[in-house]
Amino acid sequence: MVIIGFCAPSKTGKTTFLEGLIPYLINDSHIKGPIGVIKHCHHELNNRPNNDSNRLRRAGADHVIASTDSDFNRVLSSLPKCTLILVEGFRSAPIPFFLLQRGKEDKNWKAPKNIIETIDITIFEPSIQQVLTTIHRLLLAQ
């Protein structure tokens, strides 16, 4: 199991990026098994059809948990077994993170210390390929 986080300031496009990434992961021959997503929410959860967790499910994630609980390990333990788990938010979690950016860095936002790569998501296709390459490397390292 590989767990990898995606972090960025609010409104950068984390969910939209994951929504675009998931179909690539589903069709990737290196990833054999379920894909899970954990999304940390700082606001009250809702059940609207276009909420973020429903968007991630429609993109093809096998399991999605949206939680306001700040205990990452507790939320992780409630997710069924997956080959790959994508985490949106939970900056304090002890996992590697991709830092997503649109152009320049936001100096006022505090990134986690365990950033493995910074991804400029301004141009979608190259950023997806960059993430896939790193995920392949992490899967092979297991």
Side-chain angles (χ1 to χ4, degrees):
M1 171 177 58
V2 168
I3 305 172
I4 190 148
F6 293 80
C7 63
S10 181
K11 303 297 181 195
T12 299
K14 297 178 294 292
T15 301
T16 301
F17 184 78
L18 291 178
E19 192 176 25
L21 174 64
I22 290 167
Y24 283 84
L25 296 170
I26 291 167
N27 293 315
D28 191 312
S29 62
H30 294 89
I31 300 167
K32 299 175 182 5
I35 297 170
V37 179
I38 296 174
K39 178 177 175 57
H40 188 235
C41 300
H42 296 283
H43 51 77
E44 186 177 319
L45 299 176
N46 68 64
N47 201 19
R48 284 181 260 154
N50 284 328
N51 70 18
D52 290 352
S53 55
N54 285 331
R55 289 171 53 199
L56 296 167
R57 277 187 200 91
R58 281 194 305 271
D62 297 290
H63 307 287
V64 178
I65 293 178
S67 179
T68 57
D69 188 340
S70 59
D71 185 332
F72 175 73
N73 288 323
R74 182 171 36 229
V75 176
L76 178 62
S77 69
S78 67
L79 191 71
K81 186 173 175 154
C82 295
T83 300
L84 177 65
I85 298 173
L86 311 175
V87 178
E88 182 181 332
F90 279 107
R91 285 183 281 169
S92 62
I95 59 172
F97 279 94
F98 286 107
L99 172 60
L100 304 181
Q101 293 182 338
R102 284 197 175 279
K104 61 182 181 173
E105 179 182 353
D106 180 348
K107 302 281 186 196
N108 297 320
W109 185 78
K110 187 172 167 62
K113 296 187 184 343
N114 36 346
I115 300 289
I116 57 169
E117 232 172 305
T118 298
I119 308 290
D120 184 347
I121 61 172
T122 307
I123 304 173
F124 183 73
E125 191 65 35
S127 60
I128 290 291
Q129 293 307 319
Q130 189 178 355
V131 168
L132 289 173
T133 299
T134 301
I135 288 174
H136 291 162
R137 186 172 37 85
L138 293 170
L139 287 166
L140 289 171
Q142 284 191 316

